[in-house]
Amino acid sequence: MSTAATASGPSVTSLFVRLKLSLVRNGLKGSSKRKAVWIASLVISLLFSLFVTLCLAMLHGHVHAGTVVVLLAAILALGWTVMPLLFPTGDETLDPSRLVMLPLRPRPLVRALLASSLIGTGPLFTLCIAAGSAAAVAHGAAGITAAVVGAPLLLLGCVTLARAVATANVRLLSSRKGRDLAVLSGLLIAIGAQVVNFASQSLFKQGGLTALEPVEAVVRWLPPATAVGMVDSASRGSYGVAAAQLALTLAALAGLLWFWERGLTSLMVTPDGSTLAAAKPEKDRGGAGGFWSLLPGGRTGAVMRRTLRYAVRDPKTKSAWVSSLAVGAIVPVFNALQGTGSVYLACFGAGMLGIQMYNQFGQDTSAFWMVAQTIASPRDAFGELRARAGALALVTVPYTLLVTVATAALVGDWAAFPAALGLALALLGSMLCTGALASAHFPYSIPTEGAFKNVAPGQAGLAWLGIVGGMVSSALICSPVIGLTVYVSLSDDPGTLGLLALPLGTAWGLLVTWAGLRLAAPTVFRKLPEILTAVSKG
């Protein structure tokens, strides 16, 4: 073997491309179901990509085609930037810290990672949208030439942007704070759905796309949307503007590559922050103070503190709480803003947080054995359940009051406010009642691994039975207050009768909560081993 051949060796880029293909191929081995799901998702992605490309191409010649495709390119770039931060486990190759021990230079590594990043359904979908967008606005020889250049530049810009941002935040993504960032995904998706709802309603009105033209005039100068703007400008004969947009696109791409290379260099020469933190002296955690000192003493205060700490620190519990808080407020408030809301929709928020009472012991996982050791009688079980319900009510009651006040203010229906608040509190009490019973009779394990796996295999039936059965039972338990509320809303004097509905609904909520805890406590005490077995499967 010659010395030259030995020195050259395989290029890093081709090696990384083969590694990416091997990762995809090896991920499908050993499971026919996984292979079937992957093939089905690939077929669906291809069909959807072709459909989107065809729809965009059909905009060719439309007066607002440029506005649509430029804004679509900007949204696409925003998605590429944000999604790796919200779902860091979606692509393991996003983590370049796995390569820091290898003798690789940053610049060849950037080329290799960029080439391997272009493999997958995401880049294919992006390329289809870029091709469809370019076809929608390309006219004449200059436009077609610009389209041939612009579509690949949009794809490269999106992929490079995602890689540069992910590399700059890779230490954050691998930390607990990074995992907590995924909690925001549910909130952003919920808000984004409402924004899309508002936007679609505005766009489908007559002249809706015209209102977006000022925004499009700015966005077409923001890379990498400038790649599509360049095609539109060249097709209109504005060659100077097209040249400026092409230069801006290339400059932004070069800047992103430089930023990415600098991030890789910093990552390779900087010690891991987690090891540095472990080497530091342990912090003096101190005793309970501040807000915690306001909690009652004894078992009740300790359990309430533990439950609230779970909601703040445990990723799964925090995700459930944040999603419930966000969706519970978004539905009534956004419906009120759209002019189709009702103050009674505020009950939706109480219902969303009431679901958190179900499967109280599942969040303890196998550590429930420590809780079980402290329960020596049904009275102890009642105290445990009462403290957990109290921690939930500590957040839910003021939250329900706030959402009801905001909804009433937006719809301007203060006369129905007392009845709506009374109904919401009665519904919350009913869900605390059925939640305690469901926790005793239908406990299930919440796996610690997997961001979107909330039930251990084989326990999905238990989870559905407890939640759905509990929600239906809650509606039945709350039916007297629902009937009273309907009577109040149909009466000639809803304001005066509503003042009576508020204390009655509050008292009903407290009564059924107490009854549910009393009924569930003996079952919890009797089934402690079964509950421990059920919640330890994760």
PDB file of all heavy atoms in Angstrom, residues 258-275:
ATOM      1  N   TRP A 258     -20.003  29.967   9.829  1.00  0.00           N
ATOM      2  CA  TRP A 258     -18.937  30.442  10.727  1.00  0.00           C
ATOM      3  C   TRP A 258     -19.364  30.315  12.177  1.00  0.00           C
ATOM      4  O   TRP A 258     -18.589  29.864  13.037  1.00  0.00           O
ATOM      5  CB  TRP A 258     -18.616  31.900  10.385  1.00  0.00           C
ATOM      6  CG  TRP A 258     -17.651  32.521  11.348  1.00  0.00           C
ATOM      7  CD1 TRP A 258     -16.295  32.419  11.347  1.00  0.00           C
ATOM      8  CD2 TRP A 258     -17.983  33.336  12.492  1.00  0.00           C
ATOM      9  NE1 TRP A 258     -15.750  33.103  12.382  1.00  0.00           N
ATOM     10  CE2 TRP A 258     -16.763  33.689  13.120  1.00  0.00           C
ATOM     11  CE3 TRP A 258     -19.171  33.810  13.024  1.00  0.00           C
ATOM     12  CZ2 TRP A 258     -16.729  34.478  14.252  1.00  0.00           C
ATOM     13  CZ3 TRP A 258     -19.126  34.591  14.157  1.00  0.00           C
ATOM     14  CH2 TRP A 258     -17.913  34.916  14.759  1.00  0.00           C
ATOM     15  N   PHE A 259     -20.612  30.702  12.447  1.00  0.00           N
ATOM     16  CA  PHE A 259     -21.125  30.591  13.817  1.00  0.00           C
ATOM     17  C   PHE A 259     -21.188  29.132  14.275  1.00  0.00           C
ATOM     18  O   PHE A 259     -20.864  28.804  15.418  1.00  0.00           O
ATOM     19  CB  PHE A 259     -22.522  31.229  13.861  1.00  0.00           C
ATOM     20  CG  PHE A 259     -23.166  31.184  15.226  1.00  0.00           C
ATOM     21  CD1 PHE A 259     -22.719  31.990  16.259  1.00  0.00           C
ATOM     22  CD2 PHE A 259     -24.235  30.328  15.465  1.00  0.00           C
ATOM     23  CE1 PHE A 259     -23.317  31.943  17.506  1.00  0.00           C
ATOM     24  CE2 PHE A 259     -24.835  30.271  16.712  1.00  0.00           C
ATOM     25  CZ  PHE A 259     -24.374  31.094  17.735  1.00  0.00           C
ATOM     26  N   TRP A 260     -21.570  28.260  13.358  1.00  0.00           N
ATOM     27  CA  TRP A 260     -21.642  26.824  13.661  1.00  0.00           C
ATOM     28  C   TRP A 260     -20.241  26.281  13.952  1.00  0.00           C
ATOM     29  O   TRP A 260     -20.018  25.567  14.930  1.00  0.00           O
ATOM     30  CB  TRP A 260     -22.286  26.114  12.469  1.00  0.00           C
ATOM     31  CG  TRP A 260     -22.538  24.653  12.674  1.00  0.00           C
ATOM     32  CD1 TRP A 260     -22.415  23.948  13.828  1.00  0.00           C
ATOM     33  CD2 TRP A 260     -22.962  23.730  11.670  1.00  0.00           C
ATOM     34  NE1 TRP A 260     -22.740  22.632  13.620  1.00  0.00           N
ATOM     35  CE2 TRP A 260     -23.073  22.472  12.313  1.00  0.00           C
ATOM     36  CE3 TRP A 260     -23.256  23.826  10.321  1.00  0.00           C
ATOM     37  CZ2 TRP A 260     -23.468  21.324  11.621  1.00  0.00           C
ATOM     38  CZ3 TRP A 260     -23.658  22.694   9.630  1.00  0.00           C
ATOM     39  CH2 TRP A 260     -23.752  21.463  10.277  1.00  0.00           C
ATOM     40  N   GLU A 261     -19.275  26.634  13.101  1.00  0.00           N
ATOM     41  CA  GLU A 261     -17.894  26.164  13.301  1.00  0.00           C
ATOM     42  C   GLU A 261     -17.322  26.675  14.620  1.00  0.00           C
ATOM     43  O   GLU A 261     -16.656  25.937  15.357  1.00  0.00           O
ATOM     44  CB  GLU A 261     -17.028  26.640  12.131  1.00  0.00           C
ATOM     45  CG  GLU A 261     -15.578  26.200  12.252  1.00  0.00           C
ATOM     46  CD  GLU A 261     -14.719  26.764  11.128  1.00  0.00           C
ATOM     47  OE1 GLU A 261     -15.290  27.224  10.122  1.00  0.00           O
ATOM     48  OE2 GLU A 261     -13.472  26.763  11.282  1.00  0.00           O
ATOM     49  N   ARG A 262     -17.627  27.929  14.944  1.00  0.00           N
ATOM     50  CA  ARG A 262     -17.142  28.491  16.203  1.00  0.00           C
ATOM     51  C   ARG A 262     -17.783  27.758  17.389  1.00  0.00           C
ATOM     52  O   ARG A 262     -17.125  27.503  18.395  1.00  0.00           O
ATOM     53  CB  ARG A 262     -17.477  29.976  16.249  1.00  0.00           C
ATOM     54  CG  ARG A 262     -16.901  30.688  17.440  1.00  0.00           C
ATOM     55  CD  ARG A 262     -17.155  32.182  17.375  1.00  0.00           C
ATOM     56  NE  ARG A 262     -16.599  32.836  18.548  1.00  0.00           N
ATOM     57  CZ  ARG A 262     -16.698  34.126  18.792  1.00  0.00           C
ATOM     58  NH1 ARG A 262     -17.325  34.912  17.930  1.00  0.00           N
ATOM     59  NH2 ARG A 262     -16.170  34.640  19.880  1.00  0.00           N
ATOM     60  N   GLY A 263     -19.081  27.419  17.271  1.00  0.00           N
ATOM     61  CA  GLY A 263     -19.755  26.674  18.338  1.00  0.00           C
ATOM     62  C   GLY A 263     -19.151  25.301  18.530  1.00  0.00           C
ATOM     63  O   GLY A 263     -18.987  24.836  19.668  1.00  0.00           O
ATOM     64  N   LEU A 264     -18.821  24.629  17.426  1.00  0.00           N
ATOM     65  CA  LEU A 264     -18.193  23.315  17.525  1.00  0.00           C
ATOM     66  C   LEU A 264     -16.830  23.411  18.201  1.00  0.00           C
ATOM     67  O   LEU A 264     -16.470  22.579  19.042  1.00  0.00           O
ATOM     68  CB  LEU A 264     -18.046  22.708  16.130  1.00  0.00           C
ATOM     69  CG  LEU A 264     -19.302  22.091  15.507  1.00  0.00           C
ATOM     70  CD1 LEU A 264     -19.033  21.683  14.072  1.00  0.00           C
ATOM     71  CD2 LEU A 264     -19.764  20.895  16.332  1.00  0.00           C
ATOM     72  N   THR A 265     -16.064  24.440  17.824  1.00  0.00           N
ATOM     73  CA  THR A 265     -14.744  24.617  18.431  1.00  0.00           C
ATOM     74  C   THR A 265     -14.860  24.844  19.932  1.00  0.00           C
ATOM     75  O   THR A 265     -14.126  24.244  20.729  1.00  0.00           O
ATOM     76  CB  THR A 265     -14.036  25.813  17.780  1.00  0.00           C
ATOM     77  OG1 THR A 265     -13.967  25.599  16.362  1.00  0.00           O
ATOM     78  CG2 THR A 265     -12.638  25.984  18.328  1.00  0.00           C
ATOM     79  N   SER A 266     -15.797  25.695  20.307  1.00  0.00           N
ATOM     80  CA  SER A 266     -16.003  25.962  21.731  1.00  0.00           C
ATOM     81  C   SER A 266     -16.443  24.708  22.474  1.00  0.00           C
ATOM     82  O   SER A 266     -16.006  24.452  23.606  1.00  0.00           O
ATOM     83  CB  SER A 266     -17.051  27.069  21.893  1.00  0.00           C
ATOM     84  OG  SER A 266     -17.360  27.265  23.252  1.00  0.00           O
ATOM     85  N   LEU A 267     -17.279  23.907  21.813  1.00  0.00           N
ATOM     86  CA  LEU A 267     -17.776  22.680  22.446  1.00  0.00           C
ATOM     87  C   LEU A 267     -16.655  21.670  22.672  1.00  0.00           C
ATOM     88  O   LEU A 267     -16.633  20.960  23.671  1.00  0.00           O
ATOM     89  CB  LEU A 267     -18.869  22.075  21.562  1.00  0.00           C
ATOM     90  CG  LEU A 267     -19.606  20.855  22.105  1.00  0.00           C
ATOM     91  CD1 LEU A 267     -20.442  21.257  23.303  1.00  0.00           C
ATOM     92  CD2 LEU A 267     -20.486  20.246  21.020  1.00  0.00           C
ATOM     93  N   MET A 268     -15.699  21.634  21.730  1.00  0.00           N
ATOM     94  CA  MET A 268     -14.646  20.626  21.806  1.00  0.00           C
ATOM     95  C   MET A 268     -13.549  20.977  22.799  1.00  0.00           C
ATOM     96  O   MET A 268     -12.810  20.098  23.251  1.00  0.00           O
ATOM     97  CB  MET A 268     -14.025  20.421  20.420  1.00  0.00           C
ATOM     98  CG  MET A 268     -14.971  19.728  19.442  1.00  0.00           C
ATOM     99  SD  MET A 268     -14.221  19.496  17.833  1.00  0.00           S
ATOM    100  CE  MET A 268     -15.464  18.504  17.017  1.00  0.00           C
ATOM    101  N   VAL A 269     -13.413  22.262  23.117  1.00  0.00           N
ATOM    102  CA  VAL A 269     -12.319  22.662  24.011  1.00  0.00           C
ATOM    103  C   VAL A 269     -12.816  23.081  25.387  1.00  0.00           C
ATOM    104  O   VAL A 269     -12.010  23.402  26.259  1.00  0.00           O
ATOM    105  CB  VAL A 269     -11.508  23.824  23.392  1.00  0.00           C
ATOM    106  CG1 VAL A 269     -10.911  23.409  22.065  1.00  0.00           C
ATOM    107  CG2 VAL A 269     -12.377  25.060  23.209  1.00  0.00           C
ATOM    108  N   THR A 270     -14.145  23.072  25.602  1.00  0.00           N
ATOM    109  CA  THR A 270     -14.700  23.478  26.893  1.00  0.00           C
ATOM    110  C   THR A 270     -15.065  22.251  27.700  1.00  0.00           C
ATOM    111  O   THR A 270     -15.715  21.341  27.169  1.00  0.00           O
ATOM    112  CB  THR A 270     -15.954  24.353  26.691  1.00  0.00           C
ATOM    113  OG1 THR A 270     -15.611  25.459  25.863  1.00  0.00           O
ATOM    114  CG2 THR A 270     -16.486  24.854  28.024  1.00  0.00           C
ATOM    115  N   PRO A 271     -14.673  22.184  28.975  1.00  0.00           N
ATOM    116  CA  PRO A 271     -15.058  21.027  29.812  1.00  0.00           C
ATOM    117  C   PRO A 271     -16.557  20.942  29.966  1.00  0.00           C
ATOM    118  O   PRO A 271     -17.273  21.943  29.881  1.00  0.00           O
ATOM    119  CB  PRO A 271     -14.363  21.320  31.155  1.00  0.00           C
ATOM    120  CG  PRO A 271     -13.332  22.338  30.864  1.00  0.00           C
ATOM    121  CD  PRO A 271     -13.816  23.121  29.695  1.00  0.00           C
ATOM    122  N   ASP A 272     -17.045  19.711  30.183  1.00  0.00           N
ATOM    123  CA  ASP A 272     -18.461  19.479  30.398  1.00  0.00           C
ATOM    124  C   ASP A 272     -18.913  20.150  31.683  1.00  0.00           C
ATOM    125  O   ASP A 272     -18.332  19.936  32.741  1.00  0.00           O
ATOM    126  CB  ASP A 272     -18.719  17.966  30.490  1.00  0.00           C
ATOM    127  CG  ASP A 272     -20.201  17.652  30.513  1.00  0.00           C
ATOM    128  OD1 ASP A 272     -21.003  18.602  30.524  1.00  0.00           O
ATOM    129  OD2 ASP A 272     -20.542  16.458  30.502  1.00  0.00           O
ATOM    130  N   GLY A 273     -19.934  20.973  31.575  1.00  0.00           N
ATOM    131  CA  GLY A 273     -20.414  21.717  32.738  1.00  0.00           C
ATOM    132  C   GLY A 273     -20.941  20.830  33.835  1.00  0.00           C
ATOM    133  O   GLY A 273     -20.893  21.188  35.011  1.00  0.00           O
ATOM    134  N   SER A 274     -21.471  19.648  33.461  1.00  0.00           N
ATOM    135  CA  SER A 274     -22.049  18.780  34.487  1.00  0.00           C
ATOM    136  C   SER A 274     -20.982  18.235  35.431  1.00  0.00           C
ATOM    137  O   SER A 274     -21.202  18.103  36.631  1.00  0.00           O
ATOM    138  CB  SER A 274     -22.789  17.609  33.824  1.00  0.00           C
ATOM    139  OG  SER A 274     -21.890  16.848  33.028  1.00  0.00           O
ATOM    140  N   THR A 275     -19.767  17.954  34.861  1.00  0.00           N
ATOM    141  CA  THR A 275     -18.703  17.459  35.730  1.00  0.00           C
ATOM    142  C   THR A 275     -18.175  18.562  36.625  1.00  0.00           C
ATOM    143  O   THR A 275     -17.782  18.322  37.758  1.00  0.00           O
ATOM    144  CB  THR A 275     -17.565  16.879  34.887  1.00  0.00           C
ATOM    145  OG1 THR A 275     -17.082  17.896  33.990  1.00  0.00           O
ATOM    146  CG2 THR A 275     -18.042  15.695  34.076  1.00  0.00           C
TER     147      THR A 275
END
